[in-house]
């Protein structure tokens, strides 16, 4: 295999910090011209909590990602928030009949709305399935990192203006609902249906922060308000959103928060410096048809433990394949850059870990194609392999994805048994030409890797990527693989 050099340029954004931040982080992070890839980290990283996983026979599943930052007070609040969701999950499992045809599924992900030297803002999305009852919720966390304060919606407006903007939102929300219920109904039926929703609508739009705890904005200042599925109408209308242009609310906004919502031009709040990264692809001519190989694969990342795993792989001269989530990749872009730059392979693991079998064709397309786009935008290379969450797929998934599906032949149950010694013992039993499943969201799994790599190499195995494992063979779209045969 020829030495191939791919040059990528990206912007490293500095992130201002108070003296109270963790790890004595500097006021600014600026990548130097000659960067050590091991220093390529993200100011915001992803932590995860998980119950059940790929290969799991458990009906009840919990999968939550949340932010880890330089700020202790932010981390504490985010951890408490996800812990409360986990407690809800535990309570819900107590009421589930063991013979029920389907279990419960709790999923939380987040995205960054905006970040600068004063504010850090997250939009958190939860999808909660209780068998035949499903809820879709959003929450917004806006942090004033200079004053160590969590900002709520009413903080953005002087008291007399909060009710005014609520009145504007109510009017637009009512219009949206009436437009939704007007389809294929007589005037009489439309009137009856709206009357049936009035009480719910009035309660769900009262001017308080509980009703307005989910909002986001874009660079043009367009403000979006999210209402949960059952908050302002019957559940059959689904979750509803209201969007306000700057002209509809800017005069109501407190001057202190105009820059937060991009209402007035912001001063440049961070510096950028262009950095060149050189990717060196594996140079060994490994023919896994002639020599014993094993593919280490890691799902659900990137996470705050992924940089440590990359250090271990580099130190032990091992390659691996990372099946990443699009939403997580979008947040930890520097980690994705490093995975690619150090010669590992990146595969598609969906956007936010939904069971693809339960989705429509358009839902599957979003999960797969949006993830591929994000990864290509970061690395310049689009993933060519898919591992569906939970290893779950059907004919619709295969025909829509148009990618080879990569499963595994060894599951160490590292999502269940968080003991590095146990995980190492199980993974060390990998067989030639096999694919080992693991998760770089668990510290115990990452801690097990030096022993795993040592033991597998002692057997004479080459630790390779999926592409290397199947070198000389053509992986076909829609086909499922769990080892090289």
């Amino acid at each position: 295999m020829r030495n191939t050099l791919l040059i990528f340029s990206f912007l490293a954004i500095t992130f201002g910090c108070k003296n109270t931040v963790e790890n004595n982080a500097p006021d600014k992070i600026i990548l130097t011209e000659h960067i050590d890839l091991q220093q390529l980290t993200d100011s915001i990283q992803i932590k995860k909590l998980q119950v059940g996983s790929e290969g799991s026979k458990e009906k009840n599943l919990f999968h939550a990602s949340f932010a880890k930052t330089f700020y202790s007070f932010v981390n504490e609040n985010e951890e408490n928030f996800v812990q409360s969701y986990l407690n809800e999950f535990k309570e819900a499992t107590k009421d589930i009949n063991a013979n029920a045809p389907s279990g419960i599924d709790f999923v939380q992900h987040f995205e960054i709305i905006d970040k600068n030297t004063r504010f850090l803002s997250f939009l958190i999305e939860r999808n909660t399935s209780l068998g035949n009852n499903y809820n879709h919720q959003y929450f917004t966390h806006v942090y004033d990192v200079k004053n160590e304060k969590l900002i709520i919606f009413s903080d953005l407006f002087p008291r007399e203006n909060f009710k005014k903007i609520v009145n504007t939102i109510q009017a637009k929300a009512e219009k949206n609902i009436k437009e939704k219920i007007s389809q294929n109904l007589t005037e009489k039926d439309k009137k009856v249906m709206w009357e049936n929703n009035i009480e719910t609508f009035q309660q769900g739009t009262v001017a308080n922060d509980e009703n307005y705890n989910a909002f986001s904005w874009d660079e043009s200042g367009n403000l979006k308000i999210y209402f949960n599925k059952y908050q302002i109408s019957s559940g059959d209308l689904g979750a509803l959103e209201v969007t306000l242009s700057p002209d509809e609310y800017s005069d109501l906004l407190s001057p202190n928060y105009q820059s937060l919502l991009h209402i007035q031009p912001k001063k440049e709040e961070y510096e950028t410096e262009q950095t060149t990264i050189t990717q060196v692809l594996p140079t060994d001519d490994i023919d896994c048809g002639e020599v014993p190989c094993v593919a280490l694969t890691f799902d659900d990342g990137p996470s705050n433990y992924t940089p440590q795993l990359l250090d271990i792989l580099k130190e032990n001269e091992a390659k691996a394949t990372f099946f990443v989530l699009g939403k997580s990749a979008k947040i930890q872009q520097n980690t994705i850059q490093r995975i690619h730059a150090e010669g590992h392979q990146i595969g598609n693991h969906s956007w936010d870990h939904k069971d693809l079998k339960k989705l429509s064709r358009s839902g599957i397309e979003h999960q797969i194609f949006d993830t591929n786009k994000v990864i290509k935008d970061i690395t310049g290379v689009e993933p060519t392999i898919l591992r569906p969450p939970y290893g779950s797929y059907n004919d619709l998934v295969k025909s829509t994805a148009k990618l080879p599906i990569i499963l595994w032949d060894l599951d160490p149950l590292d999502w269940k048994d968080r003991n590095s010694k146990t995980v190492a013992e199980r993974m060390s039993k990998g067989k030639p030409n096999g694919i080992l499943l693991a998760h770089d969201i668990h510290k115990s799994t990452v801690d097990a890797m030096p022993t795993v790599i040592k033991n597998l190499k002692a057997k004479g195995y080459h630790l390779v990527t999926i592409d290397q494992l199947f070198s000389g063979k053509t992986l076909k779209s829609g086909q499922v693989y769990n080892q090289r045969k």
Side-chain angles (χ1 to χ4, degrees):
M1 186 181 300
R2 295 181 179 178
N3 289 330
T4 306
L5 300 181
L6 300 177
I7 309 299
F8 295 93
S9 297
F10 71 101
L11 298 180
I13 298 178
T14 66
F15 199 83
C17 306
K18 291 171 63 72
N19 293 330
T20 56
V21 300
E22 296 179 339
N23 301 325
N24 296 316
D27 288 338
K28 294 182 178 180
I29 299 174
I30 302 178
L31 299 183
T32 57
E33 183 178 357
H34 302 290
I35 185 170
D36 181 350
L37 289 173
Q38 288 176 284
Q39 303 301 316
L40 190 60
T41 58
D42 297 272
S43 59
I44 300 172
Q45 296 184 336
I46 300 165
K47 296 188 71 173
K48 301 197 178 187
L49 284 177
Q50 187 169 315
V51 177
S53 187
E54 283 72 12
S56 169
K57 295 182 179 180
E58 296 185 17
K59 290 183 178 180
N60 303 323
L61 304 172
F62 180 93
H63 186 104
S65 63
F66 57 104
K68 177 187 177 183
T69 73
F70 290 145
Y71 303 96
S72 298
F73 86 101
V74 173
N75 296 340
E76 181 178 357
N77 190 69
E78 293 303 308
E79 289 170 3
N80 290 339
F81 187 71
V82 78
Q83 184 62 50
S84 69
Y85 194 42
L86 180 60
N87 292 341
E88 289 180 31
F89 171 80
K90 291 178 179 178
E91 286 298 316
T93 58
K94 295 178 182 178
D95 300 326
I96 294 294
N97 189 320
N99 297 319
S102 61
I104 64 176
D105 193 2
F106 282 44
V107 179
Q108 173 182 303
H109 290 284
F110 76 97
E111 61 183 74
I112 301 169
I113 302 173
D114 204 359
K115 66 177 181 178
N116 55 49
T117 54
R118 180 179 174 188
F119 297 109
L120 179 58
S121 308
F122 302 125
L123 180 65
I124 298 163
E125 180 181 6
R126 286 179 174 174
N127 291 284
T128 306
S129 175
L130 298 170
N132 56 5
N133 185 16
Y134 175 82
N135 198 12
H136 185 196
Q137 298 172 289
Y138 286 100
F139 303 87
T140 298
H141 292 173
V142 179
Y143 296 100
D144 181 340
V145 296
K146 286 189 175 181
N147 297 304
E148 296 194 0
K149 178 184 177 182
L150 179 65
I151 305 298
I152 55 180
F153 190 70
S154 62
D155 289 335
L156 304 178
F157 306 91
R159 180 175 299 178
E160 64 276 11
N161 288 348
F162 180 50
K163 290 185 178 180
K164 291 181 181 179
I165 192 170
V166 165
N167 290 337
T168 301
I169 295 169
Q170 286 173 329
K172 299 196 77 167
E174 179 178 337
K175 181 181 178 182
N176 290 351
I177 292 175
K178 288 182 176 179
E179 288 176 350
K180 279 202 168 190
I181 65 179
S182 67
Q183 300 173 3
N184 303 319
L185 292 178
T186 66
E187 289 301 320
K188 181 179 179 181
D189 288 339
K190 284 188 280 187
K191 182 179 179 181
V192 171
M193 192 166 181
W194 168 244
E195 289 175 349
N196 290 339
N197 280 282
I198 286 179
E199 183 178 356
T200 301
F201 177 84
Q202 290 175 340
Q203 292 177 351
T205 59
V206 169
N208 61 49
D209 284 298
E210 183 178 356
N211 285 335
Y212 297 93
N213 63 355
F215 56 97
S216 66
W217 59 93
D218 62 22
E219 293 182 354
S220 299
N222 296 303
L223 178 64
K224 183 179 290 186
I225 313 298
Y226 302 86
F227 294 105
N228 297 331
K229 184 177 179 181
Y230 300 100
Q231 183 177 343
I232 63 173
S233 65
S234 56
D236 58 322
L237 295 180
L240 294 168
E241 301 172 359
V242 169
T243 300
L244 303 181
S245 69
D247 291 340
E248 294 176 286
Y249 75 91
S250 60
D251 58 333
L252 303 176
L253 191 63
S254 168
N256 293 333
Y257 298 112
Q258 288 185 349
S259 64
L260 170 67
L261 299 186
H262 303 284
I263 295 305
Q264 62 184 21
K266 287 194 303 182
K267 294 183 296 184
E268 191 65 29
E269 293 177 324
Y270 42 77
E271 299 173 11
T272 61
E273 181 171 329
Q274 190 169 2
T275 305
T276 299
I277 296 181
T278 302
Q279 184 206 22
V280 181
L281 297 178
T283 56
D284 323 0
D285 288 319
I286 299 175
D287 183 352
C288 293
E290 299 293 333
V291 298
C293 297
V294 169
L296 295 176
T297 65
F298 299 95
D299 290 8
D300 297 349
S303 79
N304 58 313
Y305 300 120
T306 307
Q308 177 188 348
L309 174 59
L310 290 170
D311 292 345
I312 293 169
L313 293 171
K314 183 176 182 179
E315 182 178 345
N316 290 275
E317 298 182 342
K319 298 302 177 188
T321 300
F322 291 80
F323 288 95
V324 305
L325 299 177
K327 182 165 281 190
S328 299
K330 187 177 179 180
I331 294 169
Q332 282 192 224
Q333 295 191 26
N334 287 347
T335 303
I336 295 296
Q337 284 271 12
R338 184 181 168 192
I339 291 172
H340 177 69
E342 294 188 345
H344 306 291
Q345 187 172 356
I346 297 175
N348 189 317
H349 196 46
S350 82
W351 182 257
D352 57 4
H353 211 271
K354 285 187 173 65
D355 185 341
L356 301 183
K357 279 204 311 186
K358 298 179 180 179
L359 302 181
S360 64
R361 182 178 295 276
S362 62
I364 297 169
E365 288 173 345
H366 156 63
Q367 291 287 322
I368 296 173
F369 300 155
D370 286 9
T371 298
N372 270 8
K373 182 180 185 304
V374 165
I375 295 170
K376 184 176 181 180
D377 287 347
I378 297 170
T379 66
V381 178
E382 187 169 308
T384 58
I385 53 177
L386 168 70
R387 174 170 289 166
Y390 313 111
S392 177
Y393 63 90
N394 55 19
D395 288 342
L396 180 60
V397 173
K398 292 195 289 186
S399 64
T400 304
K402 297 181 176 62
L403 290 172
I405 293 176
I406 307 299
L407 298 185
W408 56 86
D409 72 337
L410 189 153
D411 178 1
L413 303 179
D414 60 326
W415 55 269
K416 182 178 182 181
D417 298 317
R418 310 288 177 83
N419 180 286
S420 59
K421 183 177 179 181
T422 300
V423 173
E425 289 176 355
R426 292 171 180 170
M427 293 189 69
S428 297
K429 295 178 182 178
K431 297 179 180 179
N433 297 327
I435 301 174
L436 309 189
L437 170 67
H439 300 81
D440 54 323
I441 63 174
H442 303 309
K443 186 176 187 303
S444 50
T445 298
V446 174
D447 288 343
M449 283 307 108
T451 301
V452 172
I453 294 171
K454 177 182 177 182
N455 291 344
L456 293 176
K457 284 191 170 184
K459 295 180 179 181
Y461 298 166
H462 296 264
L463 303 185
V464 298
T465 65
I466 291 296
D467 277 355
Q468 288 177 305
L469 181 68
F470 288 94
S471 60
K473 292 180 174 288
T474 301
L475 295 178
K476 298 181 179 179
S477 171
Q479 293 296 307
V480 181
Y481 303 86
N482 60 9
Q483 61 180 335
R484 177 186 172 116
K485 297 180 179 179

